[in-house]
Amino acid sequence: MERHLLGLSGGRDSAALAVLMRQARPDLHIEYFFTDTGKELPEVYDFLGRLEGFLGKPILRLNPDRDFDFWLREYNNFLPSPRTRWCTRMLKLRPFERWIRPDLEAGTTIHSYVAIRADEMHREGLTATHPNLRIVMPLRERGIDKRGVIELLDGAGLGLPDYYRWRSRSGCTFCFFQQKIEWVNLMREHPEAFEEAKRYEKNAIEHGSPFTWSDRESLDELARPERVAQIERDYQIRIARLKARRRPNALRPEPSQEEMMLDDDGGGCLVCHK
């Protein structure tokens, strides 16, 4: 027995992988799934709906057995951070492992397709933790990079998820991998989600958490008008420097504003990547 599984995050890379497999291997019965933390952006659900239309089949929703609030209490109200990524472990990896464990133990070979691109050689992806689990990385194997991912999505008529106007990744609204400018943008695009993140942060600090969502400052500090203005200036300087580095290469088109926002390749959740 064999199963072929492809995890979707609501982001560009995993969606492009789904498009690739749908086009390149229509003979495979692939099960598409999305691990829903309950803290996702509305744009993620919209994009998953569009992707279901292209794939012609539903995307299974996996839900954690316990929500974010439960695990926050279990971890003594300490916020997750790049050093203690309990959110990924409990809200993404755990539901996936619980879902596939019975089949693995029954001897079924499971092929898990992970969207690691060819230009992400520093990324290892999900590690196989069972002898019957096979990790497959078709984007890397076929030499598909970030531009190739965008071309796949455009060719399928999907384009990018709408949040890429202002954010570089899918994931929870309060993902600690967000850039400073993305916190500012979250405050404007989804103020209710920003306020929720502030409440989580204040509660964590009151309980002695050493972490804030954003590095070295609280969201209250980040949201001050003078600090917002500084973050926006710093972001514009970064864009200008990026353009200056790319301009001498006439063979590469100048990146769009969306591509600039996409130019952050920090660590994402490991089940399905971005």
Side-chain angles (χ1 to χ4, degrees):
M1 291 286 293
E2 291 189 344
R3 292 177 68 188
H4 297 266
L5 311 180
L6 198 160
L8 297 158
S9 66
R12 64 176 190 264
D13 292 358
S14 58
L17 177 56
V19 169
L20 174 67
M21 297 308 297
R22 175 74 172 79
Q23 294 173 339
R25 293 298 308 273
D27 56 306
L28 282 183
H29 173 66
I30 297 179
E31 301 172 62
Y32 302 95
F33 70 93
F34 169 65
T35 307
D36 192 345
T37 65
K39 300 295 181 179
E40 311 289 339
L41 294 165
E43 296 96 321
V44 166
Y45 299 113
D46 291 343
F47 186 67
L48 289 173
R50 284 155 49 195
L51 187 55
E52 282 181 323
F54 173 82
L55 296 172
K57 61 191 305 183
I59 297 168
L60 176 68
R61 266 60 169 180
L62 297 183
N63 296 306
D65 56 340
R66 298 288 190 274
D67 63 12
F68 179 84
D69 294 331
F70 172 86
W71 290 114
L72 181 62
R73 291 190 296 271
E74 287 294 297
Y75 282 87
N76 298 316
N77 291 288
F78 278 26
L79 295 178
S81 73
R83 284 172 285 174
T84 56
R85 293 175 58 175
W86 59 256
C87 52
T88 298
R89 185 165 59 254
M90 297 304 178
L91 300 178
K92 289 287 186 181
L93 293 175
R94 180 182 167 106
F96 176 68
E97 290 167 352
R98 289 177 66 246
W99 180 45
I100 66 173
R101 186 181 302 120
D103 279 348
L104 288 175
E105 293 177 351
T108 299
T109 298
I110 293 181
H111 304 269
S112 178
Y113 296 82
V114 181
I116 304 293
R117 302 189 314 263
D119 55 342
E120 295 182 298
M121 298 309 294
H122 61 290
R123 293 243 172 117
E124 296 302 324
L126 184 65
T127 302
T129 55
H130 192 283
N132 293 334
L133 180 61
R134 307 281 188 268
I135 306 300
V136 191
M137 303 183 189
L139 296 179
R140 176 176 289 181
E141 292 167 2
R142 293 168 180 257
I144 296 174
D145 60 8
K146 184 183 294 182
R147 192 169 294 278
V149 159
I150 296 171
E151 290 172 354
L152 276 168
L153 294 177
D154 286 345
L158 290 167
L160 293 169
D162 187 54
Y163 60 78
Y164 278 129
R165 292 184 297 102
W166 59 273
R167 200 183 199 223
S168 64
R169 65 179 64 257
S170 58
C172 295
T173 56
F174 43 64
C175 181
F176 45 77
F177 282 119
Q178 290 182 94
Q179 304 170 59
K180 301 285 187 181
I181 189 65
E182 293 171 319
W183 280 108
V184 170
N185 292 340
L186 178 68
M187 181 172 58
R188 291 171 175 161
E189 296 283 335
H190 297 291
E192 71 291 343
F194 187 84
E195 290 302 315
E196 180 185 52
K198 283 172 61 176
R199 290 193 295 272
Y200 278 125
E201 185 178 71
K202 288 177 180 177
N203 173 69
I205 291 172
E206 288 170 1
H207 284 84
S209 175
F211 307 121
T212 52
W213 288 124
S214 186
D215 187 36
R216 292 190 294 275
E217 65 183 332
S218 70
L219 294 186
D220 273 335
E221 294 168 326
L222 184 147
R224 293 171 181 167
E226 63 275 14
R227 178 62 178 135
V228 168
Q230 180 186 2
I231 290 170
E232 290 176 327
R233 286 194 300 271
D234 291 344
Y235 179 63
Q236 291 302 320
I237 291 171
R238 186 157 69 93
I239 287 178
R241 287 174 177 169
L242 182 59
K243 285 184 177 181
R245 287 201 307 269
R246 293 189 175 188
R247 191 170 294 124
N249 189 343
L251 297 178
R252 294 183 63 186
E254 186 171 297
S256 66
Q257 185 74 17
E258 283 182 334
E259 287 180 279
M260 297 292 187
M261 183 57 73
L262 294 178
D263 230 26
D264 176 36
D265 284 328
C269 294
L270 297 178
V271 175
C272 46
H273 192 47
K274 299 185 290 295

